[in-house]
Amino acid sequence: MSPVSPSLSHRLDGLRSSAIRDLLTLTERPEVIGLAGGLPDEQLMPRDRIARAAEAALADRSRLQYTQSAGWGPLREVLAARESARLGRAVPIAEVFVTHGSQQALSLLGEVLLDPGALVVVEDPAYVGALQVFRAAGARIASVPLDAEGMRVDLLAELLERGERPAVVHTVSNFHNPRGVTMSARRRAELAGLADRYGFWVIEDDPYGELWFDRPAAEPVATYSPNVIRLSSASKILAPSLRAGWMVAPDRVCRAVELLKQGADLCGSALTQQITADLLADTDWLAAHVNTVRSNYGERAKALVGALRERFGNRIVSTDATGGMFVWASFTDDTDTARSLSRAVEHGVAYVPGSAFAVDSDYRSAMRLCFTTFDAPTLREAVDRLARTFGEERDG
């Protein structure tokens, strides 16, 4: 008699793997210029400075122990000081919670803030990691589009006026992934005002805010309302392997997250949190390091956008990439980027089709391009390969 196979949770119903992660497994050949990923440049990661911080941490064996579920105390102190400066108010340590990357914070918040069937409003196109979290929580998802000033807060207001009551509104306010745009100061204040008026949580997801090229973005949405939970991370300015993310949230949210985190992993890595605290507290070194990253990424973004406009002209409309890691490019002639992807890989270049980020719109003529991991000449070569790809597509 064959054994009866146990079932899996219905929570998995409707979930699917990230199209981007699946795509990367197909395009990681050395001859392919991969613009599909969303990775920081490992050559700019401060390996030697991290090594010194690790050596200092390892000098004390007690540093190898478990730490608090909410994070290593000295790191939370450093983060509270950084976030106080950013928000223009004193952030108490009790409102700072360290997580295994900011994605874990988002996942834990999905459990803390959402009951099955609760409404979540996301931007369209959307950050796929957020969609995975909200779908796993059994949320009902609605979307509002983006334009050059970020989330269309006016359309969110219309949705609220029609009687919809979201539990959560999620936004990537700075240098959006994938759209590349930044929410204007006026819309940030309007979004916070709506959160106060209607009583919903805003999750302000901000992993890219320090990667500005010309000037810093406006004040965080969390500046304007206590109903805003702010997420950030050291992955994009230091190294993803540190897995140091954090949230700034009201104490009652942090304590609820702490209960769930204790059941998930007890605590994060005390060692990497000590390394992160060392680096973030070294303010002069950190400022110089982040300026180097900005300078390199800014040059690469300019090269990519310039090459796209030179080779494609009016056939493509793209963001200017004033910060962050991504350029969003849309064809004006109804080119189907998903259909063209296999041909692009044959030509030695990869991107993410816009449809991978779609919620209610299809974005079939758009693509996301990451400029962080290649120098300017390689990015120009990548655009040459895209031009050959889409030239054949148009001619064919």
Side-chain angles (χ1 to χ4, degrees):
M1 178 178 176
S2 300
V4 177
S5 179
S7 62
L8 298 179
S9 165
H10 290 297
R11 184 175 297 178
L12 295 170
D13 296 347
L15 293 186
R16 56 181 181 272
S17 176
S18 166
I20 301 167
R21 299 299 178 198
D22 294 344
L23 174 63
L24 291 177
T25 64
L26 300 175
T27 59
E28 287 180 340
R29 304 202 304 264
E31 69 274 16
V32 175
I33 301 176
L35 307 182
L39 307 178
D41 186 354
E42 62 191 38
Q43 298 303 317
L44 296 175
M45 295 176 194
R47 180 192 60 185
D48 295 342
R49 182 65 183 82
I50 290 173
R52 292 198 300 273
E55 184 177 6
L58 290 169
D60 184 346
R61 285 183 177 271
S62 68
R63 299 288 184 86
L64 298 177
Q65 270 291 5
Y66 290 107
T67 189
Q68 300 173 30
S69 297
W72 192 55
L75 175 57
R76 293 170 69 202
E77 291 176 4
V78 171
L79 293 172
R82 284 171 55 84
E83 293 295 331
S84 294
R86 190 160 298 157
L87 296 176
R89 64 175 177 85
V91 175
I93 294 175
E95 295 183 3
V96 176
F97 197 100
V98 180
T99 55
H100 193 74
S102 61
Q103 184 67 26
Q104 187 190 47
L106 190 59
S107 178
L108 292 170
L109 287 171
E111 296 184 67
V112 165
L113 305 180
L114 299 173
D115 293 316
L119 176 64
V120 175
V121 176
V122 300
E123 295 158 325
D124 194 7
Y127 168 52
V128 293
L131 291 178
Q132 288 178 309
V133 164
F134 300 143
R135 286 168 177 156
R140 180 168 59 95
I141 296 175
S143 71
V144 292
L146 295 147
D147 63 15
E149 293 186 56
M151 176 189 284
R152 287 285 306 276
V153 178
D154 58 324
L155 298 183
L156 172 62
E158 290 180 8
L159 181 148
L160 294 165
E161 289 168 2
R162 292 196 301 269
E164 292 283 13
R165 292 295 178 264
V168 167
V169 173
H170 178 267
T171 179
V172 182
S173 54
N174 294 321
F175 316 119
H176 189 271
N177 177 13
R179 186 66 172 77
V181 297
T182 294
M183 188 185 295
S184 67
R186 175 178 58 85
R187 290 190 184 175
R188 291 170 192 239
E190 291 173 351
L191 175 57
L194 291 173
D196 288 348
R197 178 181 175 185
Y198 290 96
F200 57 81
W201 293 106
V202 174
I203 298 178
E204 182 180 21
D205 213 342
D206 185 24
Y208 311 106
E210 294 190 64
L211 297 180
W212 49 268
F213 304 150
D214 300 320
R215 61 182 181 275
E219 293 177 322
V221 182
T223 303
Y224 300 98
S225 170
N227 289 350
V228 180
I229 299 169
R230 176 175 154 75
L231 310 185
S232 195
S233 167
S235 293
K236 306 306 187 293
I237 60 170
L238 294 177
S241 63
L242 293 174
R243 304 314 299 136
W246 57 89
M247 70 175 182
V248 177
D251 181 69
R252 65 190 180 102
V253 174
C254 290
R255 301 292 72 78
V257 167
E258 186 171 14
L259 290 174
L260 290 178
K261 194 173 192 302
Q262 288 170 350
D265 62 5
L266 296 181
C267 65
S269 166
L271 179 60
T272 60
Q273 289 183 25
Q274 291 167 62
I275 294 169
T276 303
D278 189 331
L279 271 61
L280 293 181
D282 191 352
T283 53
D284 290 343
W285 170 84
L286 182 65
H289 166 69
V290 174
N291 279 335
T292 298
V293 176
R294 288 182 190 132
S295 176
N296 279 272
Y297 286 179
E299 177 185 346
R300 296 170 191 182
K302 184 177 180 181
L304 178 58
V305 172
L308 285 170
R309 291 173 179 172
E310 179 181 346
R311 291 304 305 267
F312 288 94
N314 293 333
R315 193 179 171 208
I316 270 187
V317 175
S318 74
T319 50
D320 289 322
T322 57
M325 299 172 58
F326 305 108
V327 167
W328 181 261
S330 299
F331 284 91
T332 59
D333 59 3
D334 204 35
T335 294
D336 188 330
T337 58
R339 190 180 69 176
S340 303
L341 180 58
S342 60
R343 190 192 301 263
V345 173
E346 290 173 4
H347 280 288
V349 64
Y351 55 83
V352 184
S355 56
F357 308 96
V359 183
D360 292 316
S361 302
D362 61 20
Y363 300 107
R364 63 188 300 272
S365 295
M367 56 184 172
R368 191 196 74 175
L369 309 172
C370 180
F371 51 76
T372 54
T373 53
F374 297 101
D375 60 18
T378 304
L379 290 167
R380 286 190 281 268
E381 171 60 25
V383 174
D384 287 343
R385 297 181 186 186
L386 287 173
R388 290 194 289 272
T389 298
F390 291 109
E392 286 187 10
E393 182 72 21
R394 182 170 55 179
D395 296 340

